[in-house]
Amino acid sequence: MQLRASPLTLLVAIALAAIFALEVALSGPVKGPPGASIEVLIAFGGLSRDLVLQEGQWWRLVAAPFIHADIVHLMLNGAALLFAGFALEDLVGKVRWALIYSLGALVGGVFSLCVNGPSIVSIGASGSVMALLAALVVLASAVEDEVQRNGLQVTAARLLVPSLLPVVTRRTGGAVDVAAHVGGALAGALLALVLLPELKRRLVRSGTPDTAPHRPLTPALAPIVAALVLGTAAGLAFAVRDAPALLVLNGRGDVASWSTWLSRACEWRSADSCFLLGKALARGEGLTKDPDEAQRLLAPLCTARDGRACFELGLLAYERKDFVAAVTAWRTSCDLGDLPACRNQGVALSKSDDATQDATIRALFEKSCPDVPEACGDLAARLSQQEPQVAYERAAQGCAGKSGFSCWLQARFLARGEGVDTDLQMARARHEDACTLGEVRACNSLAIFLQRGWGGGVDLPRAAKLLDDACATGDATCCANFALSLWEGKGIEQDQARARTLFETSCAAGVDTGCDGLVRVVGEASVASVKSVFEAGCAAGSGSSCLLLGSVLENHEKDPAAADARYLEACERGLAEGCAWHADLLAAGRGVTIDLALARDFFRLACEGGVERACEE
């Protein structure tokens, strides 16, 4: 068959190559041979049941045959196309060739939708090429020249091997789309059987086409070809519109550098562009943070059931402490299959302290664990009292998934023997893992293990280094413990001035250890000089600060009524000494009305909390 006699085949082959070049240009680096990313394949018209049937994107049926996963996929389809296309175009003419090609694409796509799962994205000219090959096997039987006939049929039959042509692209790799293969081949063969009698009449004994005109097929062909052309045009239009978003998603630039084009694409209803802009504005990543504009961009996407947008809206609401709105947004995202949103929904519901939500919260964490390792830790923390063994198992699952919080919890269970036998050596190893994963509390715990030699040898210099690094992140508890090392010179050069500063800042942040250390530094006689620090610490939730503030008020400022309020506050925060001191004032009637019965109740609380003198009272 002559190349000049087959311009339509050549034109289609060039179009496929040009579209593939555009795919590669918009994709980031991919594993294996040069090809397109999954985001680009979907944007260009990749065929999936969810997008077509649920979203109504029927244009994908005719756009998908024009896109390919990688260079190997394109070359296999291209080689078969050139062979079968040249032969058929010369044999049946351009109109009938276009009809076979178009029908193969459509029927192959329909078969793919019917057979493949909803998560599969199918692409490639496989249906069309298989239709050409199957049609060639049938129509070549009309060729009088035996050598030519056998050559065409044998070669076409060999190329019909399913593993060579069609490819289905998943997010995890590629596989053969047998459904598109079979659909295209059946369409091509059946149409060829319809065309075969006419072709036989038109071929003369010499094996060359008759000059008699073809029976007109234009009325039947026009809708199919028009659909193919319009669908392909729609796919390319959507691809061009989404090009800025695809470049960002594939690492070919960031939101800041493409913000102008993303804004224009968003105005043209590019969901990816609106989402990228909204996310950047919501988080202040690359663009100045603007929650209101982010809300405006993301809300319509969430309403259209874009789980990514709902997730970001949940973060915005959570940041505003609007937990009801956060739960609503994350519930939608979770229902759409976003497991991190399920976990976040559970966290937000936990803030409500609504006991009726306990089962729902647990179910959300169970659903997310172990795919979202942090959810395993959340579940473990929630079950630690009621079901310690299950809690330990969930913490271990989360730790295996590289959740620092989960590793820290697992270490605590191991150290305390809760839900599992005590094992300080393994606890130390899990603290090490958690600290490495960025869990600052684990670094603090690991430092204590190193200082005391639990689960291994003593290593004071490393303990001090861990606390110093953790304190630098702003963790007040670590700062308080590091101050102790500085004050005593444990594993680090003694620096009492810096120790006092750290005691003050950690106490003001509400850390009991910092407040106790501050008293140790300034001495009992000078505690009044740091009253403001105790006030800040008490306001931040430190029971020790409240107790010390009460002592300053009672002993230095002679204000027992104000002191009693602070003692009671310390008692309510679980500090037994505060209960005892409150009881002292109640029994003596200092600053408060004497009430011996109530005093006995508070002495009993203090006794149960370990204050021995309260037991005698």
Side-chain angles (χ1 to χ4, degrees), residues 136-486:
L136 184 57
V137 171
V138 174
L139 294 175
S141 63
V143 176
E144 292 293 332
D145 186 284
E146 184 178 358
V147 174
Q148 186 181 28
R149 180 177 66 246
N150 290 340
L152 291 173
Q153 289 182 320
V154 169
T155 305
R158 286 177 177 172
L159 290 175
L160 282 172
V161 178
S163 60
L164 294 179
L165 299 176
V167 174
V168 168
T169 299
R170 303 170 187 259
R171 291 184 185 274
T172 56
V176 175
D177 187 354
V178 178
H181 176 166
V182 172
L186 285 175
L190 291 174
L191 184 54
L193 289 173
V194 174
L195 298 176
L196 183 58
E198 180 193 7
L199 180 61
K200 286 182 176 179
R201 289 194 298 269
R202 292 184 59 253
L203 289 178
V204 296
R205 287 286 180 179
S206 63
T208 58
D210 194 353
T211 57
H214 290 282
R215 184 176 299 168
L217 290 175
T218 305
L221 174 65
I224 297 176
V225 174
L228 192 65
V229 172
L230 291 176
T232 304
L236 289 174
F238 284 127
V240 171
R241 181 199 65 180
D242 292 335
L246 292 171
L247 288 168
V248 174
L249 289 170
N250 288 298
R252 295 293 183 89
D254 54 29
V255 174
S257 59
W258 286 98
S259 60
T260 300
W261 291 100
L262 288 170
S263 296
R264 292 177 181 175
C266 181
E267 292 173 0
W268 298 336
R269 300 187 180 181
S270 166
D272 283 339
S273 298
C274 293
F275 168 72
L276 289 172
L277 283 173
K279 179 182 178 182
L281 291 167
R283 301 189 181 194
E285 297 176 349
L287 299 176
T288 303
K289 190 169 184 176
D290 189 340
D292 293 336
E293 180 64 10
Q295 181 88 17
R296 185 187 72 81
L297 291 172
L298 295 171
L301 297 177
C302 183
T303 302
R305 299 186 66 76
D306 184 327
R308 305 170 303 171
C310 296
F311 185 87
E312 295 300 325
L313 286 176
L315 292 178
L316 282 173
Y318 194 81
E319 193 175 80
R320 299 193 304 267
K321 300 190 182 303
D322 186 349
F323 301 127
V324 174
V327 166
T328 300
W330 282 329
R331 181 184 296 117
T332 301
S333 187
C334 177
D335 291 343
L336 292 170
D338 189 330
L339 291 180
C342 300
R343 182 251 175 172
N344 285 4
Q345 183 187 348
V347 172
L349 285 172
S350 300
K351 301 293 183 180
S352 66
D353 294 326
D354 183 353
T356 63
Q357 297 289 342
D358 285 349
T360 300
I361 295 169
R362 176 169 181 170
L364 288 166
F365 289 152
E366 288 277 15
K367 180 178 180 179
S368 307
C369 173
D371 296 280
V372 182
E374 293 79 8
C376 301
D378 296 325
L379 183 59
R382 197 166 189 83
L383 299 178
S384 60
Q385 298 299 319
Q386 299 86 359
E387 302 178 53
Q389 184 174 351
V390 176
Y392 173 78
E393 291 170 355
R394 293 296 179 267
Q397 276 185 299
C399 185
K402 304 301 181 184
S403 163
F405 174 57
S406 298
C407 290
W408 175 68
L409 283 176
Q410 185 185 5
R412 286 168 60 88
F413 289 136
L414 288 163
R416 298 175 180 181
E418 297 175 356
V420 65
D421 292 338
T422 302
D423 188 334
L424 293 181
Q425 186 174 1
M426 185 177 288
R428 180 165 171 165
R430 293 291 83 78
H431 278 314
E432 186 88 53
D433 293 338
C435 181
T436 301
L437 290 168
E439 181 59 54
V440 176
R441 290 171 293 186
C443 299
N444 183 62
S445 300
L446 178 59
I448 294 173
F449 272 62
L450 292 168
Q451 289 172 340
R452 300 179 183 180
W454 292 345
V458 173
D459 190 341
L460 295 180
R462 185 169 179 233
K465 179 68 167 57
L466 285 170
L467 292 172
D468 190 5
D469 292 343
C471 178
T473 68
D475 187 278
T477 301
C478 291
C479 288
N481 288 336
F482 181 51
L484 286 173
S485 295
L486 285 170

Side-chain angles (χ1 to χ4, degrees), residues 101-127:
Y101 189 92
S102 303
L103 192 63
L106 294 175
V107 176
V110 171
F111 268 56
S112 182
L113 289 179
C114 293
V115 174
N116 293 323
S119 63
I120 292 176
V121 178
S122 177
I123 45 86
S126 303

Side-chain angles (χ1 to χ4, degrees), residues 508-569:
V511 178
D512 290 346
T513 306
C515 300
D516 296 337
L518 183 58
V519 173
R520 181 178 176 182
V521 170
V522 301
E524 292 289 345
S526 301
V527 291
S529 65
V530 289
K531 174 187 173 185
S532 60
V533 177
F534 297 145
E535 288 175 334
C538 185
S542 165
S544 181
S545 290
C546 295
L547 187 69
L548 291 166
L549 177 60
S551 177
V552 171
L553 291 168
E554 181 181 9
N555 300 312
H556 294 269
E557 298 188 5
K558 310 302 179 183
D559 188 349
D564 183 65
R566 301 288 80 78
Y567 294 153
L568 180 57
E569 195 170 350

Side-chain angles (χ1 to χ4, degrees), residues 601-616:
D601 290 340
F602 277 96
F603 276 131
R604 184 171 61 255
L605 285 174
C607 176
E608 293 171 353
V611 181
E612 292 185 6
R613 71 172 184 84
C615 302
E616 298 173 0

